[in-house]
Amino acid sequence: MSNRITELFGIARPVVAGGMAWCSGWRLAAAVTNEGGLGLIGAGSMTPDILEENIVKCREAVQGRTYGVNIPLANPNAAKVMELVEKYRVPVVFTSAGSPKKWTSWLHERGVKVAHVVASSVFARKCEEAGVDAVVAEGFEAGGHNGREETTTMCLIPAVRRATTLPLIAAGGIATGDAILAAEALGAEGVQIGTRFAFTAESSASEAFKRVCLNLNEGDTRLILKKLSPTRLVANKFRTVLEEAEARDASAEELLEIIGVGRARMGMFDGDVENGELEIGQIAALFKGRDIQTVAEAMAEMQAEYNAAKERLKEF
């Protein structure tokens, strides 16, 4: 397939692996890139030293193919991360959680392709004004941090498509080949997949976290923490404590105190699946009872599903 997304990033498949905290290390990024997609290293959960190590290893593993780094602009280390992008000539940067105006021109001056993640058509237009190369529209179904608008992917993608002429990547609730085809029908030219790659063998998340994600029922994730930053979390002891606090109208300060420091690492990386923060998308329930796959197996399955869905539509 060739379209504006594949041409922009120099990839064979318009599939991006989301740069997820505690999941998207160099192994996952390299595996997706080597399968023809665009792998992203998730800088949000890495110190600059650890990120540098991941960039070096990813560069070696992809052997000249395109990879990238996802940078939450609210990260206090964002400036240091940008220095690493310049030092290692990282070809692609996806930004989120901040204004795209701040770094886009600086990155373009260094030959970097830039995409920005949004949750509304309003911010998609701001991305076009800022000069980014592509926009990622992420719907309410996605895991982790979400937009306050709570717009579903099926509503968001056509709205963003009407709002901007930028190459458009759909995200949120996309984990199968037929979902990729549906996103294209809505106006997207590529997809960003997080949840399905989060529980692949190459994900840096703990096996305990992956097993929990592969045993979820519909409704086992919920968007909470709306006083802070809306976040989709798996049901566990920690989420119950947060929900009880929200039910009594706890202040933002109290919620921050409950969360403490390192709660996401505790759950997703260290494997404390009851007391840690577990972030995953709604679509995880579709894979209940499945085994942990490699990226290659997941990509091959999505390709087969995509092809079958196209054939099936010919009957209509």
Side-chain angles (χ1 to χ4, degrees):
M1 171 182 287
S2 178
N3 63 21
R4 291 197 297 173
I5 292 299
T6 59
E7 292 170 4
L8 175 64
F9 299 125
I11 55 180
R13 292 171 164 172
V15 175
V16 179
M20 301 167 286
W22 305 114
C23 297
S24 299
W26 72 269
R27 289 183 180 85
L28 178 55
V32 173
T33 285
N34 287 336
E35 286 298 318
L38 173 60
L40 300 180
I41 300 169
S45 56
M46 299 182 184
T47 64
D49 287 346
I50 292 175
L51 176 60
E52 183 168 20
E53 178 184 349
N54 275 262
I55 290 173
V56 170
K57 289 181 176 179
C58 190
R59 278 163 49 102
E60 293 173 354
V62 300
Q63 299 180 343
R65 299 181 183 91
T66 308
Y67 73 100
V69 175
N70 179 76
I71 306 173
L73 298 178
N75 188 323
N77 289 321
K80 292 182 179 179
V81 171
M82 293 298 182
E83 291 176 7
L84 293 174
V85 168
E86 181 177 31
K87 178 179 178 179
Y88 290 100
R89 299 180 180 179
V90 175
V92 176
V93 164
F94 277 45
T95 54
S96 59
S99 171
K101 287 184 178 180
K102 186 171 183 179
W103 289 100
T104 297
S105 294
W106 186 90
L107 289 164
H108 280 165
E109 289 168 3
R110 287 151 181 81
V112 181
K113 302 295 184 183
V114 182
H116 190 75
V117 182
V118 302
S120 73
S121 57
V122 172
F123 284 103
R125 284 191 289 268
K126 290 183 182 297
C127 285
E128 188 156 16
E129 293 168 5
V132 304
D133 300 296
V135 63
V136 181
E138 184 174 81
F140 166 85
E141 302 92 326
H145 296 285
N146 266 269
R148 295 188 179 278
E149 297 81 2
E150 299 188 17
T151 307
T152 64
T153 301
M154 181 163 276
C155 294
L156 180 62
I157 300 309
V160 171
R161 180 69 292 158
R162 292 183 184 184
T164 176
T165 61
L166 288 171
L168 173 58
I169 299 169
I174 299 169
T176 61
D178 37 8
I180 295 172
L181 185 61
E184 291 177 347
L186 292 173
E189 295 153 272
V191 296
Q192 178 173 284
I193 294 173
T195 291
R196 183 154 192 187
F197 289 139
F199 44 69
T200 57
E202 292 89 347
S203 164
S204 53
S206 70
E207 182 164 344
F209 170 70
K210 296 175 188 179
R211 295 294 179 191
V212 166
C213 292
L214 288 168
N215 280 284
L216 294 175
N217 295 307
E218 293 178 13
D220 281 350
T221 71
R222 187 174 298 166
L223 198 65
I224 65 170
L225 293 173
K226 297 178 185 180
K227 281 187 177 180
L228 299 174
S229 176
T231 309
R232 182 170 297 284
L233 298 179
V234 172
N236 66 356
K237 288 181 181 179
F238 169 65
R239 197 186 82 178
T240 298
V241 171
L242 285 176
E243 288 174 325
E244 290 173 349
E246 290 188 326
R248 65 172 186 271
D249 199 27
S251 65
E253 291 74 17
E254 184 180 351
L255 292 172
L256 284 170
E257 186 176 344
I258 293 171
I259 295 168
V261 177
R263 187 72 69 166
R265 172 176 178 140
M266 182 191 300
M268 300 168 69
F269 191 76
D270 296 334
D272 186 342
V273 296
E274 283 299 331
N275 300 299
E277 181 175 310
L278 306 181
E279 303 176 6
I280 205 71
Q282 285 183 323
I283 199 66
L286 190 64
F287 297 90
K288 183 176 181 179
R290 296 282 299 271
D291 291 330
I292 294 173
Q293 291 182 309
T294 65
V295 166
E297 289 169 338
M299 290 284 270
E301 188 172 279
M302 287 189 285
Q303 183 68 65
E305 291 166 343
Y306 180 89
N307 295 341
K310 288 186 73 174
E311 286 299 313
R312 190 167 61 247
L313 288 178
K314 292 180 181 179
E315 299 173 7
F316 288 88

